[in-house]
Amino acid sequence: MTGPEVSDGVPEEAYVAVLAGLSGMGPRRLRALLSHHVPSEAHAVVGGSAPPHPSVQRLLDSRRSGVHLGSTWRAEVARVDPAEVWSRCVRAGVMVVPYGSARYPTALLHDPVPPAVLFVRGDLTVLDRRRVGVIGTRNATRNGIATAEALGADLAAAGVTVVSGLASGIDGAAHRGAVRASGSPAAVVGNGPDRAYPRQHGQLWEEVAALGVLMSEWPPGVAPDAFRFPMRNRILAALSEVLVVVESRERGGSLLTVREAADRSVTVMAVPGSPRSRSSAGTNQLLCDGVAPVTCTDDILMALGLDTRRAGRAAFDPRPAPLGLEVAVLARCRRDPCTIDHVVDELGVTVAEAAMALARLERSGWLGESGGWFEVLEPWAMVP
Amino acid sequence: MFASVPSATILGAEGYPVVVEVHVGGGLPAFSMVGLPDESCREARDRVRAAIESTDRSWPQKRIVVNLAPPRHRKVGSGLDLAMAVGVLVAAGDIEPTAVRGLGFVGELGLDGSVRGVPGVAPMVGVLGELDVVVPVASLAEARVAARAGVRPVAHLSEVIAALTAEAPWPDHDESTTTTPHDQVPDLADVRGQPVPRRALEIAAAGGHHLLFVGPPGSGKTMLAQRLPGILPPLDRETALRSTMVHSAAGIPLPPGGLVRRPPFRSPHHTSSLVSIVGGGSSAMRPGEASIAHGGVLLLDELGEFPVGVLDALRQPLEEGAIHVARANSRAVLPARFLLVGATNPCPCGGGAPGECQCDDVRRQRYLRRLSGPLLDRFDLRVAVHRPGIDELIDGRGGESSAVVARRVERARAISNERGPLNGQLTGAELDRWAPLSDGARARLRHEMERGRLSGRGYHRIRRVARTLADLDPEPVEIVSESHVVEALSLRTRLGSSAGSAPERVA
């Protein structure tokens, strides 16, 4: 083993990217490789120009579907130029975060199958917030799309990071909602983070990467092969504190994510749907199996143990600012609940003026009246 | 030997002329009375005999028959005593029949011959028309108010006999001895703070709006209501006369001068019977509190504690301004146009600031259910009264005096009098004509109705009150503006919403 070494101006991360892109290279194998060699050395080992560690030798000798791994990899490594892979990473703004790096998300550190490396666009610190996964079928109903979008927006407004897969259907809708509410979404995708899949989500990818974080286990340039998505789902489940399934068919991919979540003791919740909607068959089955239903965003916030009323919602107050006498009246009401009599007495105005100011404040939602008493309403107590 | 002496009796608030006919004839000494006297009237026999004997005249030892004509009506009370005594003396020949010509007699006799006052002298004297009326000194003032001819006050039967036998002139009794002290009306200046209830009183007085105070015990509801008569304008001549008649009939002490000029204030307790409030009862059809309050204020404190029957019975006078009392053989119409002031707690425990009420929803609903219904609809103003703070009680400045407020009330009433009825009695069509709304006012009312906080009835009430507010403006305006509507809305607290959980009652 040698120390970190930069040959031809190519950093160590470039070699990780090359190795992660090899066919048949999964998180377990890559971790085994990198736990015995530094990346450049591992690259050389796989390429056959350096002696492998004994346990790495066993790995290279193993076979996958009848094919000798060592020779497959050697051929692939020979075809790939690390400098080119690196420049692709740099162009796409992709950060390489290997297992053990200081930036590696803590939520994945103790996972049963942690990704050996993450290719990240955006800001990983959004994962330090409370995280809720919102997932579902790609064949969503309009209703499901709307629900996912609303949940995404509400959760984001409450300061929660919405974790999803950026797929079409529910996943994308949840992220759209989060983006709309200027939240900080987190996306885990099943191909290289440089190319949007599905295509029509190109803009959404950029927005998610700009506002939050977009990550993948796979280096730039890796195609969205079907086998990568179940692996992606395990990261998604691992990153979620609560996993919400909005819509899923009776044997949908979302249910695989649910199983991964169950393995990791992540709370699963499901949005109930009509028994006649096939898109809700899976979620309704989940409910039958005993997961908690989601009837509104607060249900999720409660599951997170958040104060549903305060969760960052004061950020935007749509009420018109009080004017003139209303300012003084509102200030008076802030002290303690009061009646018109108090306002008239303490502010020295006429009954008509006081009534007018109180009526305006009540109409614009600043005050609530009950039995002649006026109380200041907090934004969350407003009745729309 | 026969004598016929005019007198009168009372039914409701009206007098009925009665001719007392006395026949003294042969036969065993006896005294019988016919012509439908009631028990108090029948007892007159013993009083009349004792009184006559106290004047050293002898009781005729003959058969005496007294007929009270017309015999159709039941005769009530002791006011016929004096007429009977005079009739017996005339029929017995002690007094010349010509001496009583042109005279009517009203008064009760004591066993010692003294002449005592009776209730209802005013209406009784009123129906005696052109006759000079001999009345008890105690009833002189009220007799003077109603009399169209002379009034002869007497204190003792011997004075009457002396005058009728021309032994002495009619006595000249000093009027001042007959007056009763009239208590002062409390002044609004005594009230500390409470700007909104004060304003409500002013509006109620100016527009004739019925007023409901809703507030915890000790918040001053009664104290405020007592000050309402003080800001009402004095009664006009006609109302004053009718009030005087009612007061006289009910035996209420009359003010100096006899005429009730100040608006009366009545506050019957909630244990009062139905009859005591609406009138009727004995065959005299005595006026009830509602009639005594005619032209003034009827305060029903603890409105919810009144029996449902009493509250229901008040609906007729609130609509018609009169109470029709009918019994099997008599019928009376009693005037009863009053300003109704109700006072009630918001809930059994008295309520208070949000969160202080200790009542559960069921109790609160049960309490308010008694208030609900048509009676509640009569209150144009429903004002929440709050316990004044300690600061207000100790340092609070007294507000304007009743005199200042009364001047504004009078000015506003002058404006509404030009239109016609009081604002509190305006109908929907009249409101459209006399209380047009500005665009802002209309929008505000629409907003309230859309939010389900204002019903159709409530809409008219708000418009009536807003009309009065516009009349009360320093610069009275014809078009009702938004600020009038908003103020009117603020004077209409909702009942049953003191806690957020209680369902709101649309008012």
Side-chain angles (χ1 to χ4, degrees):
Chain A
M1 268 175 70
T2 58
E5 173 186 332
V6 178
S7 55
D8 310 333
V10 177
E12 286 291 318
E13 285 97 330
Y15 298 103
V16 180
V18 172
L19 292 172
L22 298 177
S23 55
M25 183 65 85
R28 284 198 180 86
R29 289 182 181 132
L30 188 53
R31 267 188 75 203
L33 204 52
L34 293 179
S35 57
H36 296 98
H37 304 284
V38 295
S40 54
E41 194 182 74
H43 183 262
V45 164
V46 170
S49 54
H53 188 271
S55 51
V56 171
Q57 183 63 52
R58 273 202 302 281
L59 173 66
L60 291 175
D61 288 341
S62 67
R63 287 166 177 273
R64 191 179 68 108
S65 8
V67 182
H68 186 255
L69 267 180
S71 44
T72 317
W73 285 354
R74 189 176 310 153
E76 284 186 27
V77 161
R79 285 200 299 272
V80 182
D81 175 12
E84 195 198 318
V85 169
W86 181 243
S87 72
R88 185 183 276 180
C89 284
V90 172
R91 269 203 312 279
V94 171
M95 212 162 40
V96 181
V97 181
Y99 184 84
S101 150
R103 281 181 294 189
Y104 193 85
T106 25
L108 296 174
L109 268 180
H110 303 291
D111 196 72
V113 192
V117 59
L118 287 170
F119 296 90
V120 176
R121 295 177 59 191
D123 178 12
L124 269 175
T125 57
V126 301
L127 295 176
D128 297 340
R129 307 193 187 189
R130 308 307 301 269
R131 302 173 305 275
V132 171
V134 179
I135 59 164
T137 178
R138 280 165 294 160
N139 314 88
T141 61
R142 240 162 217 290
N143 228 339
I145 297 277
T147 307
E149 210 169 321
L151 287 178
D154 288 355
L155 288 168
V160 172
T161 290
V162 176
V163 182
S164 192
L166 263 183
S168 55
I170 300 295
D171 285 25
H175 272 148
R176 249 195 320 278
V179 166
R180 199 185 61 208
S182 311
S184 44
V188 187
V189 297
N191 57 334
D194 57 332
R195 199 178 301 163
Y197 175 83
R199 275 283 173 78
Q200 61 268 29
H201 277 179
Q203 196 196 340
L204 187 58
W205 275 50
E206 299 308 318
E207 286 169 341
V208 168
L211 283 171
V213 65
L214 190 155
M215 65 180 93
S216 173
E217 214 177 347
W218 317 106
V222 169
D225 302 307
F227 74 90
R228 302 190 199 272
F229 287 93
M231 303 180 77
R232 178 277 306 264
N233 289 348
R234 93 176 189 286
I235 306 179
L236 225 160
L239 282 178
S240 303
E241 292 177 79
V242 171
L243 185 71
V244 178
V245 188
V246 178
E247 274 186 342
S248 169
R249 294 193 172 177
E250 61 275 17
R251 272 195 293 278
S254 311
L255 299 187
L256 299 179
T257 317
V258 167
R259 190 168 308 152
E260 298 285 357
D263 289 346
R264 289 166 172 79
S265 304
V266 170
T267 310
V268 177
M269 303 177 82
V271 177
S274 160
R276 299 172 61 176
S277 161
R278 192 178 162 210
S279 299
S280 292
T283 40
N284 285 347
Q285 186 57 45
L286 284 176
L287 291 169
C288 289
D289 294 346
V291 311
V294 173
T295 57
C296 61
T297 316
D298 288 350
D299 288 344
I300 306 171
L301 296 177
M302 299 252 276
L304 278 180
L306 286 179
D307 182 341
T308 57
R309 294 171 308 166
R310 282 177 203 280
R313 284 204 200 169
F316 177 62
D317 197 333
R319 301 178 289 191
L323 300 167
L325 178 62
E326 293 163 40
V327 178
V329 172
L330 189 60
R332 168 62 189 85
C333 292
R334 275 201 197 289
R335 269 197 284 139
D336 49 40
C338 68
T339 66
I340 304 190
D341 287 289
H342 292 118
V343 173
V344 172
D345 264 350
E346 293 170 28
L347 301 182
V349 294
T350 67
V351 175
E353 287 164 345
M356 202 74 181
L358 287 167
R360 284 222 185 88
L361 287 169
E362 198 207 348
R363 194 171 174 180
S364 53
W366 287 103
L367 297 180
E369 186 258 2
S370 58
W373 290 81
F374 290 85
E375 290 173 89
V376 171
L377 290 184
E378 299 304 336
W380 63 76
M382 261 194 307
V383 183
Chain B
M1 306 291 258
F2 171 79
S4 165
V5 180
S7 183
T9 183
I10 190 158
L11 183 67
E14 285 174 48
Y16 282 90
V18 173
V19 177
V20 179
E21 298 172 334
V22 184
H23 176 81
V24 177
L28 287 172
F31 186 99
S32 70
M33 193 182 296
V34 296
L36 222 56
D38 83 344
E39 205 47 50
S40 62
C41 210
R42 204 179 294 280
E43 289 161 355
R45 177 178 62 174
D46 297 324
R47 287 196 296 271
V48 169
R49 179 172 183 163
I52 287 178
E53 284 176 350
S54 74
T55 60
D56 298 331
R57 306 270 166 175
S58 56
W59 183 254
Q61 294 299 321
K62 297 188 172 170
R63 180 177 167 78
I64 303 170
V65 178
V66 174
N67 178 34
L68 307 175
R72 205 168 56 239
H73 293 301
R74 189 166 277 281
K75 318 298 179 304
V76 198
S78 47
L80 299 168
D81 287 4
L82 185 56
M84 280 184 226
V86 172
V88 168
L89 290 171
V90 171
D94 287 335
I95 297 174
E96 286 300 312
T98 51
V100 297
R101 197 162 295 151
L103 286 175
F105 296 84
V106 173
E108 176 189 311
L109 289 176
L111 297 184
D112 60 351
S114 59
V115 181
R116 294 181 182 151
V118 287
V121 166
M124 288 195 267
V125 169
V127 295
L128 287 175
E130 303 307 320
L131 300 173
D132 281 3
V133 191
V134 180
V135 298
V137 173
S139 306
L140 175 58
E142 52 189 293
R144 282 249 163 84
V145 170
R148 276 172 283 173
V151 176
R152 308 241 164 101
V154 292
H156 198 274
L157 183 59
S158 59
E159 292 174 1
V160 182
I161 296 169
L164 291 176
T165 52
E167 285 171 12
W170 286 99
D172 184 15
H173 287 283
D174 187 0
E175 202 169 321
S176 64
T177 58
T178 68
T179 59
T180 52
H182 201 59
D183 33 20
Q184 276 292 302
V185 185
D187 197 287
L188 259 182
D190 309 337
V191 179
R192 295 280 160 92
Q194 308 276 31
V196 175
R198 293 173 74 103
R199 179 84 170 142
L201 287 175
E202 182 176 339
I203 296 162
H209 303 283
H210 301 301
L211 168 63
L212 178 65
F213 282 132
V214 182
S219 55
K221 302 184 290 284
T222 316
M223 178 193 182
L224 284 158
Q226 282 166 344
R227 281 151 178 80
L228 183 52
I231 58 173
L232 283 168
L235 302 182
D236 58 45
R237 172 82 192 163
E238 191 192 337
T239 313
L241 270 176
R242 302 201 74 174
S243 279
T244 308
M245 296 300 181
V246 174
H247 283 222
S248 172
I252 309 277
L254 291 170
L259 193 62
V260 178
R261 288 173 193 283
R262 293 297 317 160
F265 176 80
R266 303 299 296 180
S267 161
H269 191 252
H270 58 73
T271 52
S272 307
S273 67
L274 176 67
V275 161
S276 75
I277 288 178
V278 299
S282 75
S283 32
M285 300 284 195
R286 206 179 123 95
E289 294 290 335
S291 295
I292 299 169
H294 179 70
V297 176
L298 180 68
L299 167 65
L300 299 185
D301 210 346
E302 303 291 352
L303 189 64
E305 303 291 336
F306 279 84
V308 175
V310 170
L311 298 180
D312 276 348
L314 284 176
R315 281 158 58 186
Q316 187 192 34
L318 284 171
E319 261 164 37
E320 300 177 18
I323 297 173
H324 299 261
V325 188
R327 297 292 182 265
N329 51 8
S330 55
R331 184 175 301 122
V333 179
L334 296 161
R337 190 175 293 288
F338 49 84
L339 201 51
L340 180 61
V341 179
T344 181
N345 295 338
C347 59
C349 79
E356 278 181 21
C357 176
Q358 297 161 358
C359 307
D360 55 34
D361 286 355
V362 178
R363 271 183 81 197
R364 197 180 302 118
Q365 287 302 311
R366 197 183 301 141
Y367 187 78
L368 289 172
R369 203 175 302 134
R370 309 194 60 169
L371 293 180
S372 68
L375 184 70
L376 213 51
D377 282 339
R378 314 284 167 191
F379 292 105
D380 285 354
L381 295 163
R382 285 186 214 158
V383 182
V385 186
H386 306 285
R387 268 193 208 109
I390 295 166
D391 291 346
E392 269 173 49
L393 284 177
I394 294 177
D395 307 324
R397 35 204 161 92
E400 292 168 310
S401 70
S402 291
V404 176
V405 179
R407 269 198 292 282
R408 283 203 298 270
V409 168
E410 206 169 344
R411 210 171 49 105
R413 278 219 173 189
I415 295 170
S416 72
N417 281 343
E418 281 174 27
R419 283 193 298 264
L422 281 174
N423 294 336
Q425 290 153 19
L426 290 179
T427 62
E430 286 168 333
L431 279 170
D432 288 340
R433 188 169 152 213
W434 285 318
L437 296 167
S438 74
D439 289 346
R442 197 182 302 277
R444 173 70 66 170
L445 285 171
R446 168 176 287 274
H447 173 74
E448 291 293 317
M449 291 181 89
E450 279 168 356
R451 291 200 47 192
R453 299 199 294 197
L454 193 60
S455 67
R457 279 202 207 97
Y459 171 71
H460 287 304
R461 283 203 296 273
I462 292 298
R463 290 183 66 188
R464 284 197 283 266
V465 174
R467 176 68 261 170
T468 304
L469 284 165
D471 292 344
L472 277 169
D473 262 3
E475 309 279 330
V477 286
E478 288 195 3
I479 294 182
V480 174
S481 75
E482 186 183 358
S483 74
H484 298 135
V485 167
V486 169
E487 188 173 353
L489 283 166
S490 75
L491 295 169
R492 208 182 109 270
T493 185
R494 270 163 296 154
L495 288 169
S497 60
S498 60
S501 57
E504 278 189 5
R505 184 180 300 250
V506 175

